[in-house]
Amino acid sequence: MSKYLVPVDFSKTADHAAKYAARLSFAMANAKIILLNAYYVSTYESILPTPDLIVTTDENIADETARRLEALEKLKLKMLEINPDAEIEVSLTRETILRSIINRVNKEEIDLIIIGSNGKKAKDESDIGSNAIKISKSSPVPVLVVPPKADYHSIRKAVLACDFKKVKEVMPVQSLKNILSKHALKLLVLNINSGQAIDLQEEHILHEMLKDFSPDYHYADHQDTIKGIVKFAKSEEAQLIIALPKKYSFFESLLHESVSQKLTIKSHVPVLLLKD
């Protein structure tokens, strides 16, 4: 069984990611979706008044908990309209969202975390969307970031962006095998040349590492790496961009949230942050 963890905060961003997960589960046999909402109340909130001079009482917490569970059930019903056969679990925790995600991943085998990315016009709409990259950096499992305009399409082509540097350290071969074993897709390896020469030895190592996947190799010149990737994915009609947020990787810049947000906002297709 494939298990998808979908953190939600009842924003349009998160709802869109949840509906994408429902469509994905429709295409995948034997899949389960876990809708996770975190309602964290700190000790200070329970003893100190808010700017409105309201103290968070046990009764307030109980009412808010009931409201959130009701909202989770409503979202579940919307997802079942997309896939009536979907197995969907609703989960409400009293921890921070990041801790809730990591604890759930450590508790059971999760295949994929699906998070919505805020768009340009919805910058502050979703706390989860605003922290998508922080979550992906902390998560031990792959994270799929769904841009606001990305609709689900059967995944036939995926773009793997790589700069052919330190490929042994950055290439998640096992994770790629896991993805390709579940999806019959064509892998397009893209090198964006921003003026630096390609290391032929590293290129050879990469070809050897990926030979079992029979990828196509493409080379493009573009001063703006992010725009170059997005433009290539669009021209090839790819349904997925794979990024490698590891030290030394082509996407080392993903450690800086502003660059990461550019990729997920500008991309018209979901971005898979892949790790071994």
Side-chain angles (χ1 to χ4, degrees):
M1 170 181 283
S2 297
K3 290 186 181 180
Y4 308 137
L5 180 63
V6 187
V8 296
D9 55 9
F10 312 120
S11 63
K12 289 182 180 178
T13 295
D15 282 8
H16 179 63
K19 291 173 183 176
Y20 185 97
R23 293 184 178 92
L24 179 62
S25 71
F26 189 78
M28 298 288 293
N30 198 23
K32 177 181 178 180
I33 300 171
I34 302 162
L35 284 178
L36 176 67
N37 178 251
Y39 175 42
Y40 175 69
V41 179
S42 70
T43 304
Y44 295 104
E45 287 178 278
S46 63
I47 60 176
L48 297 176
T50 67
D52 298 323
L53 300 179
I54 298 173
V55 177
T56 303
T57 65
D58 289 343
E59 185 178 356
N60 296 145
I61 293 172
D63 289 344
E64 181 63 17
T65 297
R67 186 188 72 80
R68 287 171 179 258
L69 285 170
E70 183 180 0
L72 282 169
E73 290 294 339
K74 284 183 178 179
L75 180 55
K76 176 180 175 179
L77 288 175
K78 290 180 183 178
M79 296 168 69
L80 287 172
E81 290 177 5
I82 296 170
N83 181 8
D85 297 323
E87 181 180 348
I88 302 174
E89 173 192 337
V90 298
S91 177
L92 178 65
T93 74
R94 292 290 308 279
E95 300 169 314
T96 63
I97 186 61
L98 183 57
R99 183 175 291 277
S100 299
I101 291 170
I102 300 306
N103 285 347
R104 189 68 191 236
V105 168
N106 289 334
K107 181 172 135 185
E108 63 186 289
E109 190 172 339
I110 302 293
D111 295 278
L112 186 65
I113 298 171
I114 302 176
I115 295 175
S117 168
N118 289 333
K120 295 178 182 177
K121 296 180 180 179
K123 205 178 216 179
D124 302 316
E125 181 187 359
S126 168
D127 287 339
I128 295 173
S130 299
N131 291 287
I133 304 306
K134 287 182 181 178
I135 292 170
S136 72
K137 283 162 57 180
S138 303
S139 168
V141 302
V143 175
L144 185 69
V145 183
V146 183
K149 293 184 179 180
D151 293 324
Y152 176 77
H153 297 284
S154 177
I155 302 174
R156 303 180 306 279
K157 284 184 183 180
V159 175
L160 172 62
C162 180
D163 64 357
F164 299 3
K165 293 179 182 177
K166 299 185 182 292
V167 293
K168 286 184 178 179
E169 291 94 331
V170 305
M171 191 55 59
V173 176
Q174 187 56 51
S175 294
L176 277 174
K177 284 183 179 178
N178 292 340
I179 293 294
L180 296 176
S181 66
K182 296 178 181 179
H183 301 274
L185 57 85
K186 184 64 180 176
L187 186 63
L188 310 177
V189 179
L190 173 66
N191 176 274
I192 296 287
N193 187 353
S194 57
Q196 296 183 339
I198 293 174
D199 187 322
L200 296 180
Q201 184 176 356
E202 290 288 317
E203 182 182 30
H204 175 72
I205 293 172
L206 181 64
H207 279 248
E208 284 298 309
M209 292 177 70
L210 301 181
K211 64 182 180 181
D212 291 343
F213 306 133
S214 301
D216 288 344
Y217 288 87
H218 297 265
Y219 302 81
D221 293 315
H222 209 293
Q223 291 302 314
D224 188 318
T225 300
I226 302 300
K227 287 182 180 178
I229 296 167
V230 172
K231 181 180 178 181
F232 176 81
K234 192 169 186 178
S235 67
E236 290 291 331
E237 298 183 347
Q239 293 80 37
L240 183 69
I241 294 173
I242 300 175
L244 312 174
K246 291 176 103 174
K247 190 177 181 182
Y248 306 124
S249 81
F250 179 52
F251 278 90
E252 186 175 358
S253 57
L254 280 172
L255 297 176
H256 304 289
E257 292 171 37
S258 60
V259 177
S260 303
Q261 295 296 349
K262 278 186 187 177
L263 179 61
T264 55
I265 289 171
K266 291 187 178 182
S267 176
H268 61 292
V269 298
V271 177
L272 179 65
L273 303 176
L274 197 60
K275 305 176 183 180
D276 263 336

